[in-house]
């Protein structure tokens, strides 16, 4: 393997940079550990920003070198080399996802097929934005290609960066400073635009996946390439002294590494106050030192051979790890977390190594012709075209297959509901909740509930209570779009024509809130009043939207494993696992349904509490009922568990409307 990697060169014939590969190996490992469930790496989601900065530097550096050496940029060759790097492994992953969707009973077959096409054509980031994908809350079954959004961002940048280099050299032929100022200004403009979007209340998905918001990191890397790259005379940029360069590298490493430990889930300042730009600069500082040809101690350490090899395998490690996590992780869940994490890491490294050894390196070294049984000069373009075409056709075939919902063919929660009676008259129902409501919606099938239609208005990460939720005495950040959701859901109820509203309380209802500058403690009289006022307000606004019946489900018991939760929810693990907390909230809900506790009834609306606790927890906590696992991560319902819960909920909603 070492002899193979030593033969790898960049598209301009330059040897790879060992120290930079070492950094890439370290940081990709941290990102993988974060995704596999290493709870201490709370800011692991920021790690991708580092790779954007590295990529912006490397790509711009190659283009500047070519422009300085030849006076032009061979755009066709540039894109061919990008295709040779990205397509082979991507086609393998997309094929695996399609086969899994086709033969493994995926209830998200159509979504996965669409994600394959979006990934192949490098627009997956915008597809995720269009469906308001939630990166942090893995509710139900996340897409095996969710992580391919990064390829979309980079490829869209690659479309423009050759033009950017050409324009810079044409407009400022002799001034490196002017070129640097322009690129740096573009990076700052991207950060300012991101802050503007964050302040205007756009969805978190738009901030997280947007090419324009992520361009700042790529442009920071490009700025370093302009600073250090060759000028119109072929001269490299002037570097600081060795000691200063080493200090810059150390500071950059410290800034970059700190992101994994000091940044929490959805830290708004990363988008509103230039945090992403800060960490991109830290990564660029590492890159500045790592590319220094002088013998620096920090570079010798970063060039540790295992880290360098992982760095050279970064693309495969990243590409393969997420499907492996989704497919292998559930099988390893019964094991201790450290065993599960290391097991997933070992399998990922093995798969990525095999891909690197027998697929990626041959193509990088010899082009797509390496995949042909016999080399045919001039015909190698057929290989990538045929590969993409075959996968696209397979995706189309998978998309035409009926969605496999075998995992939703479940027995009723209670035997008395085995016989399904169509609702007469038909009933239109809306579901309102947070991420637990979203997971419950994953189990709904119209055919299982004749005469009933359900519109799921639940929103991931949004609290039913219109007051800041507190964590350790400080307000928790919430997606800015949650305010819009709380304002607009009645209009959506009206548009759906729903006469019934089912409210599903989530974990936030247990926590402390800040109201008018004071803390409303958990399980206090003020807390009970806050829940009651929230339910009164929901009932009143629902009635204004045409609802005549409001049902509120009680909360079921849970034994939460924090290691299986998204970091943003781990603070709820203890409170949710305490039956006393759940019982207290349920008592408040039952009192509200009876019109007690200071509740103000809305005329023209009938209200009921649907006691979901009883069928799920009447015999104590159970991970599964009737052989069906209830929860996917010990908080959110599994699709099959949700389908079974609906067999109990729907008849009671229908019955309540007849009273």
């Amino acid at each position: 393997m070492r002899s193979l990697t030593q033969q790898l060169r960049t598209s301009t014939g330059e040897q790879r940079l060992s120290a930079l590969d070492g950094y890439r190996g370290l940081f990709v490992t941290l990102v993988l550990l974060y995704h596999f469930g290493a709870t201490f790496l709370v800011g692991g989601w920021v790690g991708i920003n580092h790779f954007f900065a590295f990529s912006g530097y490397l790509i711009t550096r190659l283009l500047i070198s070519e422009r300085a050496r030849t006076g032009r940029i061979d755009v066709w060759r540039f894109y061919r080399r990008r295709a040779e790097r990205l397509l082979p492994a991507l086609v393998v992953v997309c094929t695996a996802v399609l086969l899994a969707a086709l033969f493994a009973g995926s209830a998200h077959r159509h979504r996965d097929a669409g994600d394959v096409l979006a990934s192949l054509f490098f627009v997956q980031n915008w597809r995720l934005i269009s469906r308001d994908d939630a990166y942090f809350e893995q509710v139900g079954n996340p897409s095996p290609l969710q992580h391919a959004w990064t390829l979309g961002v980079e490829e869209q940048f690659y479309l423009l960066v050759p033009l950017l280099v050409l324009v810079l050299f044409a407009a400022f032929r002799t001034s490196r400073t002017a070129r640097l100022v322009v690129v740096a200004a573009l990076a700052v403009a991207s950060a300012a635009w991101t802050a503007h979007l964050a302040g205007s209340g756009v969805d978190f998905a738009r901030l997280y996946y947007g090419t324009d918001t992520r361009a700042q990191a790529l442009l920071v890397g490009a700025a370093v390439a302009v600073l250090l790259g060759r000028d119109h005379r072929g001269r490299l940029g002037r570097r600081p002294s060795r000691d200063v360069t080493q200090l810059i590298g150390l500071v950059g490493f410290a800034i970059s590494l700190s992101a994994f430990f000091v940044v929490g889930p959805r830290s708004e300042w990363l988008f509103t106050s230039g945090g992403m730009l800060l960490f991109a600069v830290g990564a660029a500082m590492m890159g500045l030192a790592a590319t220094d040809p002088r013998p620096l101690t920090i570079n010798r350490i970063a060039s540790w051979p295992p880290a360098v090899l992982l760095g050279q395998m970064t693309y495969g490690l990243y590409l393969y790890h997420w499907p492996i996590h989704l497919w292998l992780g559930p099988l390893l869940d019964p094991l201790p977390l450290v065993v599960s994490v290391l097991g997933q890491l070992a399998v990922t490294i093995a798969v990525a190594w095999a891909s690197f050894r027998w697929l990626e390196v041959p193509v990088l070294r010899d082009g797509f012709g390496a995949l042909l049984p016999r080399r045919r000069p001039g015909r190698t373009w057929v290989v990538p075209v045929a590969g993409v075409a075959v996968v696209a056709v397979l995706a189309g075939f998978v998309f035409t297959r009926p969605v496999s919902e075998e995992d939703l063919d479940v027995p009723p929660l209670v035997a008395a509901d085995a016989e399904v009676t169509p609702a007469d008259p038909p009933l239109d129902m809306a579901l309102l909740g947070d991420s637990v409501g979203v997971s419950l919606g994953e189990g709904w099938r119209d055919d299982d509930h004749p005469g009933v239609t359900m519109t799921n208005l639940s929103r991931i990460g949004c609290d039913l209570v219109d007051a800041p939720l507190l964590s350790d005495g400080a307000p928790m950040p919430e997606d800015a779009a949650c305010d819009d959701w709380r304002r607009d859901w009645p209009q959506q109820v009206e548009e759906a024509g729903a006469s019934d509203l089912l409210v599903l309380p989530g974990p936030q209802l247990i926590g402390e809130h800040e109201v008018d500058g004071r803390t409303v403690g958990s399980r206090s009289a003020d807390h009970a009043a806050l829940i009651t006022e929230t339910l009164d307000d929901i009932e009143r606004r629902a009635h204004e939207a045409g609802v005549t019946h409001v049902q509120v489900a009680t909360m079921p018991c849970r034994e939460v494993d924090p290691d299986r939760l998204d970091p943003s929810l781990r603070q709820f693990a203890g409170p949710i696992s305490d039956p006393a907390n759940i019982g207290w909230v349920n008592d408040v809900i039952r009192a509200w349904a009876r019109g007690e506790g200071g509740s103000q009834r809305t005329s023209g609306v009938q209200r009921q509490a649907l006691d979901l606790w009883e069928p799920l927890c009447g015999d104590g906590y159970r991970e599964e009922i009737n052989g069906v696992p209830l929860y996917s991560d010990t908080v959110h319902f599994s699709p099959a568990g949700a389908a079974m819960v609906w067999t109990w909920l729907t008849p009671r909603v229908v019955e309540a409307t007849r009273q």
Side-chain angles (χ1 to χ4, degrees), residues 101 148 153 166 192 248 254 266 409 434 455 478-479 549 575 608 649:
V153 171
L166 289 173
I248 290 173
R266 294 199 182 190
D409 291 331
D434 56 13
T455 301
E478 187 182 52
D479 195 324
H549 294 79
Q608 292 87 19
L649 274 175

Side-chain angles (χ1 to χ4, degrees), residues 285-296:
M285 293 168 69
M286 275 195 302
L288 185 148
T291 58
D292 196 308
R294 294 171 294 188
L296 303 180

Side-chain angles (χ1 to χ4, degrees), residues 323-545:
I324 287 173
H325 168 60
L326 294 183
W327 298 335
L328 181 62
L331 301 178
L332 300 180
D333 274 346
L335 301 176
L337 177 65
V338 65
V339 176
S340 173
V341 169
L342 293 179
Q344 294 176 67
L345 184 62
V347 171
T348 299
I349 291 175
V351 171
W353 184 88
S355 173
F356 190 63
R357 169 66 177 81
W358 287 294
L359 179 63
E360 297 167 57
V361 168
V363 173
L364 285 171
R365 187 182 55 197
D366 301 322
F368 285 112
L371 302 179
L372 293 173
R374 288 187 300 173
R375 292 291 301 270
R376 295 186 179 181
R379 296 293 182 90
T380 56
W381 60 267
V382 173
V383 177
V385 172
V388 172
V390 168
V391 175
V393 170
L394 180 59
F397 176 77
V398 171
F399 196 82
T400 62
R401 301 299 91 191
V403 173
S404 174
E405 297 184 344
E406 295 175 359
D407 58 341
L408 302 186
D409 291 331
V410 296
L413 183 58
V414 297
D417 296 321
E419 184 175 345
V420 178
T421 303
D424 186 21
L427 174 67
D428 292 314
M429 170 180 58
L431 174 66
L432 189 68
D434 56 13
S435 58
V436 177
V438 172
S439 70
L440 182 63
E442 294 281 344
W444 177 270
R445 292 193 302 183
D446 290 334
D447 292 345
D448 292 344
H449 311 281
V452 181
T453 60
M454 190 276 291
T455 301
N456 195 350
L457 303 180
S458 301
R459 175 84 184 197
I460 292 175
C462 294
D463 193 349
L464 291 172
V465 178
D466 189 9
L469 184 66
L470 299 179
S471 175
D472 295 328
M476 283 187 63
E478 187 182 52
D479 195 324
C482 289
D483 287 335
D484 296 336
W485 170 76
R486 280 187 287 265
R487 182 193 67 221
D488 296 338
W489 68 257
Q491 179 181 345
Q492 295 173 303
V493 168
E494 187 173 4
E495 291 171 353
S499 60
D500 281 64
L501 180 67
L502 173 61
V503 181
L504 192 71
Q508 294 99 326
L509 217 60
I510 295 175
E512 295 182 338
H513 289 77
E514 183 180 78
V515 178
D516 296 331
R518 60 185 178 85
T519 298
V520 174
S522 181
R523 294 170 57 179
S524 64
D526 287 343
H527 188 191
L530 181 62
I531 294 175
T532 300
E533 291 169 7
T534 296
L535 295 177
D536 280 350
D537 183 63
I538 289 173
E539 180 185 67
R540 175 184 58 78
R541 298 177 67 206
H543 180 58
E544 293 172 354

Side-chain angles (χ1 to χ4, degrees), residues 576-629:
I576 298 174
S577 299
D578 187 347
N581 286 333
I582 303 295
W584 182 87
V585 171
N586 288 342
D587 286 343
V588 174
I589 291 172
R590 296 185 188 104
W592 173 84
R594 296 191 297 266
E596 301 171 358
S599 173
Q600 302 295 318
R601 285 185 176 272
T602 299
S603 177
V605 180
Q606 295 187 33
R607 60 168 68 162
Q608 292 87 19
L610 303 183
D611 202 354
L612 188 58
W613 168 282
E614 180 58 32
L616 294 184
C617 308
D619 295 327
Y621 172 77
R622 291 174 287 175
E623 289 188 4
E624 61 179 49
I625 297 178
N626 300 329
V628 177

Side-chain angles (χ1 to χ4, degrees), residues 98-348:
L98 290 173
L99 293 177
L102 193 59
F103 297 113
S106 172
H108 296 276
R109 179 174 292 163
H110 293 169
R111 179 205 64 188
D112 292 350
D115 286 350
V116 163
L117 292 175
S119 299
L120 279 177
F121 294 100
F122 303 106
V123 292
Q124 175 70 339
N125 61 318
W126 293 106
R127 175 171 165 83
L128 294 174
I129 289 172
S130 70
R131 67 177 183 232
D132 193 22
D133 180 89
Y135 174 83
F136 291 100
E137 304 218 21
Q138 305 303 332
V139 178
N141 293 296
S143 168
L145 289 170
Q146 183 189 48
H147 65 317
W149 70 271
T150 61
L151 303 185
V153 171
E154 289 197 356
E155 282 304 297
Q156 291 155 37
F157 175 74
Y158 295 160
L159 285 176
L160 298 176
V161 69
L163 177 62
L164 174 62
V165 171
L166 289 173
V167 169
L168 287 175
F169 273 87
F172 311 104
R173 191 177 71 86
T174 63
S175 177
R176 182 195 303 271
T177 301
R179 294 193 292 270
L180 176 62
V181 168
V182 170
V183 178
L186 290 174
V188 172
S190 173
W193 172 245
T194 302
H196 167 73
L197 290 177
S200 64
V202 302
D203 293 339
F204 184 80
R206 175 67 180 83
L207 296 173
Y208 192 82
Y209 297 122
T211 306
D212 50 351
T213 58
R214 290 296 188 163
Q216 54 188 292
L218 289 155
L219 289 165
V220 165
V224 176
V226 171
L227 175 66
L228 301 179
R230 299 187 182 276
D231 62 12
H232 63 290
R233 294 180 179 176
R235 297 173 302 186
L236 292 172
R238 238 173 126 182
R239 290 181 176 271
S241 68
R242 286 177 54 180
D243 290 342
V244 172
T245 300
Q246 193 142 256
L247 178 61
I248 290 173
L250 287 170
V251 172
F253 178 76
I255 292 173
S256 299
L257 190 62
S258 70
F260 290 85
F261 303 99
V262 303
V263 174
R266 294 199 182 190
S267 295
E268 290 186 347
W269 67 273
L270 291 174
F271 300 99
T272 61
S273 305
M276 284 295 187
L277 188 64
L278 169 65
F279 288 117
V281 170
M285 293 168 69
M286 275 195 302
L288 185 148
T291 58
D292 196 308
R294 294 171 294 188
L296 303 180
T297 302
I298 188 174
N299 287 351
R300 286 198 297 271
I301 296 173
S303 299
W304 184 47
V308 172
L309 178 58
L310 291 175
Q312 293 172 345
M313 292 166 50
T314 293
Y315 176 60
L317 289 169
Y318 180 75
L319 193 61
Y320 293 114
H321 90 281
W322 187 245
I324 287 173
H325 168 60
L326 294 183
W327 298 335
L328 181 62
L331 301 178
L332 300 180
D333 274 346
L335 301 176
L337 177 65
V338 65
V339 176
S340 173
V341 169
L342 293 179
Q344 294 176 67
L345 184 62
V347 171
T348 299

